Amino acid sequence: MIGRIAGRIVYHGEDHVLIDTNGVGYVVHCSDRVRAGLPGPGEATALYTDLLVREDLLQLFGFPTLVEKEWFRLLMSVQGVGAKAALAILGALGPDGVSRALALGDWSAIKAARGIGPKTAQRVVMELKDKAPMVMAMGVTAPSGGEVIEPTAPGTAPKVSQPAAPARSNAQAEALSALGNLGYAPSDAAGAVAEAAGAAPEAETADLIRAALRLLAPRQ
């Protein structure tokens, strides 16, 4: 199993990038959103990967975080959702958007992804809603693609390149973990955090916790 690729980008394709690792080129399929966030040809990058094995085909799919990779695997576990559909959903919503849609039971958000019909979207929500809290909680400790060690001339120290920091910490995952520690059921906590995050997308962890607690209060 190839779980991670680190190297230099050779080129961007329509639905993939070619990454050179010590002279070996790997074709890594990515969503449009992920590919748009990668550096240009000649630059170093690192992606977590999932290897899809079929009788006549081997395909690598790349993700900047382990959380997004886990969502990809879970989406493909739904009947009728293959790699292309799972990548389309993640490309349209991102991992946080998928978490929010499932926690709120919002199948219309899933349907917004290219090639996803209403029946498939409803099936995704039905089968994965209870798993949303588990994957959301991964965001508290899950690392990103990690550092990339760039080769240099002989006799010189290698250059270590850090991945770009996320725009903000995973406040939703941290709030979900806090509510779990307070004794709230995972499904209730996930729904409240998703609703609070939808109302205030830029809210920090403490603000999300307070807003989620207000939403949960009538349920006690």
Side-chain angles (χ1 to χ4, degrees):
M1 174 65 71
I2 301 174
R4 182 175 179 272
I5 294 290
R8 292 186 182 276
I9 292 181
V10 178
Y11 69 80
H12 283 250
E14 183 177 348
D15 61 353
H16 65 276
V17 291
L18 179 65
I19 300 177
D20 181 276
T21 301
N22 297 324
V24 179
Y26 294 89
V27 173
V28 183
H29 296 269
C30 307
S31 69
D32 292 342
R33 178 184 52 80
V34 169
R35 192 166 52 81
L38 293 176
E43 298 293 323
T45 192
L47 291 170
Y48 290 105
T49 57
D50 193 59
L51 178 62
L52 181 63
V53 180
R54 295 176 178 169
E55 291 184 2
D56 58 347
L57 182 66
L58 296 176
Q59 283 183 307
L60 275 175
F61 295 87
F63 314 92
T65 66
L66 284 173
V67 175
E68 187 159 347
K69 175 180 174 178
E70 185 64 20
W71 271 124
F72 177 75
R73 295 170 65 88
L74 280 175
L75 285 166
M76 284 205 304
S77 72
V78 177
Q79 181 183 1
V81 177
K84 183 177 180 180
L87 214 60
I89 293 171
L90 283 168
L93 302 179
D96 285 347
V98 172
S99 297
R100 187 179 304 113
L102 294 182
L104 296 175
D106 183 10
W107 62 267
S108 62
I110 303 294
K111 187 174 71 70
R114 184 172 58 233
I116 304 300
K119 290 184 178 179
T120 299
Q122 291 173 14
R123 192 181 305 120
V124 168
V125 169
M126 184 181 304
E127 294 189 20
L128 299 185
K129 183 176 182 179
D130 291 339
K131 298 180 181 179
M134 174 187 68
V135 183
M136 287 171 67
M138 287 179 59
V140 177
T141 56
S144 64
E147 65 184 19
V148 180
I149 301 179
E150 303 181 27
T152 57
T156 62
K159 178 182 178 182
V160 179
S161 174
Q162 295 291 343
R168 61 186 180 89
S169 63
N170 198 331
Q172 294 181 49
E174 293 170 356
L176 180 64
S177 178
L179 291 174
N181 292 336
L182 291 173
Y184 288 96
S187 58
D188 290 341
V193 169
E195 187 173 342
E202 300 301 322
E204 299 295 335
T205 301
D207 295 327
L208 279 181
I209 293 173
R210 284 192 289 267
L213 285 173
R214 287 195 293 271
L215 293 168
L216 288 166
R219 307 176 189 178
Q220 299 303 304

